Amino acid sequence: MTTTDYIISAALILLVIPQIRGTRMTLLHTLLPLAAVAAAAAYYLKSFPTEGHDVRLDAVTVAAGAALGLACGAATRLGRAADGVAIARAGALAALLWIAGMAARAGSSSGPPTAARAVSRGSAATT
C-alpha cells in the first residue's frame, strides 16, 4: 500500500469515531461520509477488468461491502436530542464491522497471502 492508501484508510476509519460518541444528524454530518467514500471510490475505481473471474470477484466484494454496510447501519442507534435534532450513535459492533471492512480491503491489496488474494488468483488483473 502507498502512503495515500494509508491516509485514505485512516480517514475512512476516523469517520466512525464521532458516530460512537453520538453525532447530530445535520446536513454536514450526513454528506461528509458520503463525500469521503465517493472521493475514495474515484481514487480507486479507475477501470473494471472483465476477463477471467474479475466480474464475479467484483460482484462478491461489492456484496460483502454492502452486507457490512447494512450490518453497520443496523448496529447504529437513532434518537432525538432535547431540541428535536436526530442523533446517530454507532455501537461497538458498528465500529468493529467498519474496521473489519477496512482491514479486509487493506489486506486484499498488500501483505502476505490472504483469503481474498487466494480467491483473486483466477483474476486477470493479478496476472
Side-chain angles (χ1 to χ4, degrees):
M1 284 179 53
T2 66
T3 302
T4 303
D5 293 328
Y6 285 113
I7 291 169
I8 290 172
S9 293
L12 291 173
I13 290 171
L14 290 174
L15 285 173
V16 175
I17 292 173
Q19 291 183 6
I20 292 172
R21 293 181 305 171
T23 303
R24 295 172 64 86
M25 296 307 298
T26 63
L27 183 61
L28 175 66
H29 285 116
T30 302
L31 295 180
L32 181 63
L34 295 175
V37 170
Y43 176 78
Y44 287 113
L45 300 177
K46 303 294 184 203
S47 66
F48 294 98
T50 57
E51 297 177 8
H53 299 288
D54 291 338
V55 173
R56 197 171 319 144
L57 180 62
D58 288 342
V60 167
T61 56
V62 166
L68 281 171
L70 289 171
C72 285
T76 300
R77 293 177 303 281
L78 295 174
R80 291 210 179 270
D83 60 0
V85 175
I87 294 180
R89 182 167 300 192
L93 178 60
L96 181 65
L97 290 169
W98 182 264
I99 292 169
M102 294 302 299
R105 187 201 63 76
S108 68
S109 64
S110 67
T114 63
R117 290 186 78 156
V119 168
S120 69
R121 286 192 186 123
S123 169
T126 60
T127 58

